[in-house]
Amino acid sequence: MDKVLISQLKVETVIGIYEWEKQIHQNLLIDLEMAWDNSLAAANDDYQQALCYETVSNRLTALITEKPIELIETVAQMCADCVMDEFNVPWVKVRVMKPGAVPTAQAVGVEIERGHL
């Protein structure tokens, strides 16, 4: 199975359940693994057959920053739905990490898988 990967996409947004969090911007780090048949793009050196990681990154950044969100679980599901629906990806693994959310941890996060291989 081929995959297209995006690692530690940094998105600055309003995220959290506490009132003080709703007044500030915080960083999220997004990791994606997306099932994609890269053989056609590779065989013909054809960008049109590739899954453009820049386009996906820009779309997810816009989606996550368009309005405040309380839960990183919601962010993960929104990312999975967007990638599968808008980019026709059959399977995706999304990890959302929130650095600094717990003082004694470097980051906390969630990971989900959606779709079928």
Side-chain angles (χ1 to χ4, degrees):
M1 173 187 47
D2 298 345
K3 293 180 184 176
V4 173
L5 308 173
I6 298 173
S7 179
Q8 296 197 355
L9 174 65
K10 186 175 174 181
V11 179
E12 185 179 314
T13 192
V14 177
I15 181 81
I17 61 170
Y18 300 111
E19 283 307 312
W20 65 267
E21 288 182 298
K22 296 177 183 187
Q23 307 304 316
I24 65 169
H25 284 85
Q26 298 183 74
N27 289 320
L28 298 177
L29 299 174
I30 313 292
D31 293 331
L32 293 118
E33 292 183 28
M34 299 167 284
W36 190 261
D37 183 356
N38 291 314
S39 61
L40 291 174
N44 300 306
D45 199 24
D46 183 3
Y47 168 79
Q48 297 300 319
Q49 300 295 321
L51 177 59
C52 179
Y53 42 81
E54 181 180 22
T55 303
V56 172
S57 296
N58 290 341
R59 175 63 182 110
L60 293 180
T61 298
L63 179 68
I64 295 166
T65 59
E66 71 184 8
K67 64 179 182 180
I69 302 169
E70 291 193 347
L71 301 175
I72 58 174
E73 291 85 350
T74 303
V75 172
Q77 187 64 54
M78 288 170 55
C79 289
D81 290 343
C82 177
V83 167
M84 293 177 69
D85 294 344
E86 295 182 26
F87 296 95
N88 298 312
V89 169
W91 172 88
V92 63
K93 181 190 290 185
V94 180
R95 175 181 288 174
V96 179
M97 301 299 291
K98 188 175 178 186
V102 173
T104 55
Q106 184 175 1
V108 296
V110 298
E111 181 176 276
I112 64 172
E113 291 184 42
R114 299 291 185 264
H116 302 284
L117 297 175

